[in-house]
Amino acid sequence: MKRSPVLANRHTKARDHALRQIAHVGPFLEGALCQFQRPGCAKPGWHLTFKQKGRTRTVYVPLELVTDVKSWTRNYKHLKRLIRQVTRHSLGLIHGHVASRRAANRFRALTHR
């Protein structure tokens, strides 16, 4: 498949920046980390809730892993934001390309009269 060169504009630069940031995202995990009170225990318990094959699943998270799992879920949210940025700027490139082609066609139509 032949790629046409894309001019470096704000969408290209912003998309490339977001793609570089994606490469530096550490370990990630989809889900929500929730605290719950265990009966007869002073310390709270933690569980991770996530979707798997359309069903909600819950996994107990040991206290030793809570800080790591918090970081992983935070990284996942950051990754989702970056993916939305890449998508938005890629769509901007498509819209800009279509607009410039239409403008070029209008210009050709005016000059060939």
Side-chain angles (χ1 to χ4, degrees):
M1 189 166 135
K2 191 174 182 182
R3 285 185 63 187
S4 61
V6 177
L7 298 175
N9 61 20
R10 67 185 173 100
H11 290 296
T12 305
K13 291 175 185 175
R15 184 182 64 176
D16 290 345
H17 178 70
L19 286 169
R20 282 192 303 274
Q21 284 184 313
I22 286 173
H24 297 292
V25 173
F28 57 88
L29 179 64
E30 182 178 9
L33 188 63
C34 303
Q35 189 177 14
F36 66 94
Q37 188 60 46
R38 297 183 288 187
C41 193
K43 291 185 179 179
W46 293 86
H47 59 257
L48 179 75
T49 304
F50 59 97
K51 289 283 191 177
Q52 186 177 51
K53 295 182 181 178
R55 301 191 65 155
T56 302
R57 303 287 184 200
T58 302
V59 175
Y60 173 76
V61 179
L63 286 175
E64 301 86 39
L65 293 178
V66 170
T67 55
D68 290 336
V69 174
K70 276 184 186 179
S71 172
W72 299 341
T73 56
R74 202 174 315 116
N75 285 348
Y76 179 76
K77 288 178 185 177
H78 181 62
L79 178 63
K80 279 181 60 173
R81 277 194 302 274
L82 291 172
I83 290 170
R84 281 193 296 270
Q85 285 179 16
V86 169
T87 300
R88 184 175 63 243
H89 292 298
S90 294
L91 287 172
L93 286 169
I94 293 170
H95 291 304
H97 181 75
V98 169
S100 65
R101 293 265 308 256
R102 285 181 182 158
N105 288 340
R106 281 194 304 268
F107 178 74
R108 256 188 248 118
L110 289 175
T111 57
H112 286 39
R113 284 186 181 191

